[in-house]
Amino acid sequence: MNRRQLIVSTAAAATAMAAGAPAYARQGSSMPTPPVARRIPVRIEQLGRVRVDDYQWMKDDNWQAVLRDPSLIKADVREHLEAENAYREAVLRSTEPLQEAMFNEMRGRIKEDDSSVPAVYGPWEYYTRYEVGAQHPFYCRRPIGDAAGEQILLDANALAAGKDYSSVGATSPSPDHRYFVYAEDDQGSEVYKIFVKDLTTGELVGEAIDETVGDFTISPDSGQLFWTNRNDNGRPDKIFRRPITGGDRTLVYEEEDEGMFMGVRRTSDDRYVLIGIGNQETSETRIVVDGEPVVTEPRQEGVLYDLDHWSDRWIIRTNADGAVDFKVVQAPTDAPGKANWVEVIPFTAGRIIENVGLFQNWLVRQERADANTRIVIRNRGGEEHAIGVEEPAYALGMMGSYEYATNNLRYTYNSMSRPTETYDYDMASRSRTLRKTQEIPSGHNPADYVVERLEARHEDGAMIPISILRRASTPVDGSAPLLLYGYGSYGIPMSASFNSNRLSLVDRGFIYAIAHIRGGSDKGWNWFLAARRMTKKKTFEDFIACADHLIAQNYARSGNIVAHGGSAGGMLMGAVANMRPELWAGVLANVPFVDVINTMSDTSLPLTPPEWPEWGNPLEDPEAYDYMMSYSPYDQVEAKAYPAILATGGLSDPRVTYWEPEKWVAKLRPATTSGKPVLLKINMTAGHFASSGRFDYLRDIAHDYAFCVWAAQRGWEQSA
């Protein structure tokens, strides 16, 4: 079958662009004409069901190679993506001054010569810092108390020189402080290379380790480097080790179940290397003993656990025995299996224990309830106290620590109106020291803003929290445009945290709202379990219930809300656009997971088998197929008055591949009856997380936020 498409007016567009005219401009009109993708129907029969996909040709047959080298993409697909980008730029040309203004505002809120609070590790303080104008950080250390003794471990600006994309992932000094290990992704495809630098010579040692997921750890004696391998389909499948200075690699562990994720790390007390294996509902940990991975407790479907070592015992966080929101147990060092688990912190419904941190004399946990967090500190005798905050909506988070034998806990606090504060907390004296307050060079007064918490009711009685940020001067009478953000998948909660970029909307009169919908764990693990697989539609219904409640409370009006979500939250955007299109002035869908049925049927894609527990398996389960088909945004597109839509993607994205937003836009555009534009932005040199430089990334956000303003102001009418 000929899989090349016909792009309407491509030659004419090229001529117009060469002459300096707007791309795809209709003669006698200022409204650009969109590219039209040719339909090539492909009949797909699955479990006795048949679907027809007109745009399957957009998926490059050699997509794995394209992820690693975007220049390899088929010429016809590249032409179509470039045509879509040109059309979007033409439609949004009137917003370019606004984009530039927003970019300058966002950049003006960044302290360009910023640095992190140094983290003590042995005789050194490790930190990152930026220089004025630099896109990337410097990774540094200095002797404790010697500000003049800085050593630059890695200049990420030099690393990125000459590259369209460069992102440093994990970094770590070795326990003996001789080596610095870092992972770099230079395509946006999340295929990393791991490098080892000898800090005594300043030179790289050993060969670079490529084809990894960027996950590594260094053995407690600093002699071995462990890392997670990525197979041809982009999934982690093996753990290797080698001498840190280079040499032959040794296979430590191979996972045969392609539905499992995997990672490797050291315990907090620096005694063991752990291999974590799991998906959304089942996990297993293996302890590397004398080079061999020993199972802690064999995996059991539906049971999650993770563990860490606390000097003389194991500490395990688990949902075993019906502890849905997790409990904490302990076990002897030489007998970590479930038969020896003794409860330390009991399960409490609705209060999820998110993570546990261990220090020599302290067990610290972060827990979440009603979409807010708190930190609880426990000594070895079992006495507890909490760090709490009285604001209605905020974000409180533990920071990692190199040091184990310390009384110091570092944590951060912020709210939607209050920039991040970094504290050192003495767990023995219960006193805290403010180490840093996020600076906003262009100025920021939290008193100019109001943070509120509302609750919307789903028809089944569930109460969905909504966190709100607005200027104190913004009226609550329905006249202000409102951006409603949501995610609602994988049990990931949304924190009511500070983000200075949002101020470019809020200072223009927008109300910014976060919907803490089911599918996340904002109100406990049951909040997640209530909206997955065969109840996934609860996520979409919750988001719509939040919009309806905001309208009822005069925070918004129907048709003047911009809906925003990304990745799985982009699936949410596609679903709510199909279900209630009249609510939205615009829909901003970043890297949207919208081609659900096709993606979850393609076992070659990196995330498909590991995510069947989340969505269901449409290859084997007819009920899962039918339910998935009933909400899959791409498959549910039909003739109706859709709002203005902007979908974004990245050519080297391994999580939500570029063809998902491309296909969705191609199907939406001839279906919509509203006359409002459907736009696509594909970053041709980046992946899931957009541009890598801190300023380039701001341009991406400024572009998207300008679309939000344009949509709320009915900008397409001025383009017509």
Side-chain angles (χ1 to χ4, degrees), residues 143-326:
I144 294 175
D146 182 6
E150 177 179 276
Q151 297 179 8
I152 295 176
L153 310 178
L154 174 65
D155 176 0
N157 298 281
L159 188 67
K163 301 173 183 175
D164 291 326
Y165 185 97
S166 176
S167 177
V168 175
T171 66
S172 178
S174 59
D176 66 2
H177 306 283
R178 177 171 177 174
Y179 303 101
F180 183 73
V181 186
Y182 62 93
E184 184 207 14
D185 169 16
D186 62 6
Q187 292 289 349
S189 59
E190 300 177 55
V191 176
Y192 287 85
K193 290 184 179 179
I194 298 174
F195 301 89
V196 179
K197 183 177 182 180
D198 186 336
L199 298 179
T200 63
T201 66
E203 301 297 324
L204 296 178
V205 295
E207 67 281 5
I209 300 168
D210 57 12
E211 299 301 311
T212 81
V213 298
D215 177 61
F216 66 83
T217 197
I218 305 166
S219 62
D221 66 0
S222 300
Q224 297 284 316
L225 180 64
F226 293 75
W227 71 93
T228 307
N229 185 73
R230 180 190 293 271
N231 66 18
D232 291 340
N233 286 334
R235 287 190 289 270
D237 66 340
K238 300 180 182 72
I239 302 293
F240 286 105
R241 64 175 169 87
R242 72 159 204 208
I244 195 167
T245 54
D248 293 338
R249 62 180 59 186
T250 300
L251 178 65
V252 179
Y253 176 73
E254 182 172 6
E255 175 56 43
E256 296 181 356
D257 186 344
E258 64 178 0
M260 290 291 175
F261 296 107
M262 191 162 48
V264 61
R265 63 182 177 87
R266 284 199 315 272
T267 57
S268 293
D269 62 1
D270 263 352
R271 288 188 57 183
Y272 298 97
V273 170
L274 303 178
I275 298 172
I277 308 152
N279 57 28
Q280 287 88 350
E281 60 181 18
T282 303
S283 68
E284 177 181 277
T285 299
R286 296 186 177 228
I287 307 163
V288 179
V289 179
D290 296 328
E292 296 298 321
V294 179
V295 175
T296 302
E297 175 66 24
R299 67 191 73 174
Q300 178 182 341
E301 186 173 351
V303 175
L304 295 166
Y305 74 91
D306 53 70
L307 74 158
D308 199 354
H309 198 255
W310 200 21
S311 298
D312 60 351
R313 71 196 76 172
W314 292 100
I315 296 294
I316 302 110
R317 187 187 71 105
T318 182
N319 69 346
D321 306 315
V324 177
D325 288 315
F326 294 85

Side-chain angles (χ1 to χ4, degrees), residues 666-699:
K667 193 170 184 179
L668 276 167
R669 193 173 285 139
T672 184
T673 61
S674 68
K676 301 172 186 177
V678 178
L679 307 174
L680 177 66
K681 179 185 178 184
I682 296 292
N683 191 322
M684 305 296 281
T685 59
H688 196 69
F689 300 106
S691 300
S692 56
R694 59 173 175 163
F695 304 133
D696 292 341
Y697 178 67
L698 292 181
R699 289 201 179 276

Side-chain angles (χ1 to χ4, degrees), residues 327-330 341-347:
K327 62 182 178 180
V328 176
V329 300
Q330 65 183 21
W341 291 359
V342 176
E343 186 175 274
V344 176
I345 301 166
F347 152 65

